[in-house]
């Protein structure tokens, strides 16, 4: 169960980061509200997962899901560039997440 909570917290990190982008510096109320609610839910799920998971593992997986997921959202929905170096960086983050999971 803690891994499911952590995965969901990571997905919500993608939601709040994307909403932050769409909030235009907190000038648009709906994306700003989505961002705040997403942050609170993401942090709560992360904290709940940390009851059972080691700090380093939980935090690394959470930030990794958020980072790679936000990268994918940027590429797919915001037309951000896809370069070999950016793909390699995202791949290394994913490899680190799996390695950390295996080490736990």
């Amino acid at each position: 169960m803690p891994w499911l909570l952590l995965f969901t917290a990571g997905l919500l990190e993608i939601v709040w980061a994307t909403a932050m982008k769409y909030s235009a510096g907190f000038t648009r109320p709906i994306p700003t509200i989505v961002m705040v609610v997403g942050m609170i839910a993401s942090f709560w799920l992360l904290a709940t997962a940390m009851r059972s998971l080691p700090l380093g593992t939980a935090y690394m997986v959470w930030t990794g899901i958020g980072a790679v997921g936000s990268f994918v959202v940027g590429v797919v929905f915001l037309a951000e560039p896809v370069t070999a170096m950016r793909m390699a960086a995202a791949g290394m983050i994913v490899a680190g997440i799996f390695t950390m999971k295996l080490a736990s």
Side-chain angles (χ1 to χ4, degrees), residues 13-87:
E13 186 179 6
I14 299 164
V15 168
W16 70 254
T18 304
M20 184 184 291
K21 172 73 174 170
Y22 282 105
S23 77
F26 311 120
T27 60
R28 298 177 62 210
I30 299 300
T32 301
I33 291 167
V34 169
M35 181 201 70
V36 170
V37 171
M39 280 181 150
I40 291 168
S42 181
F43 279 106
W44 181 78
L45 290 171
L46 173 62
T48 303
M50 282 183 173
R51 291 180 187 162
S52 303
L53 299 174
L55 166 68
T57 301
Y59 190 72
M60 192 252 182
V61 170
W62 179 70
T63 57
I65 291 169
V68 173
S70 296
F71 167 71
V72 171
V73 167
V75 167
V76 173
F77 296 105
L78 302 173
E80 293 179 358
V82 179
T83 65
M85 194 167 290
R86 291 184 86 208
M87 292 296 291

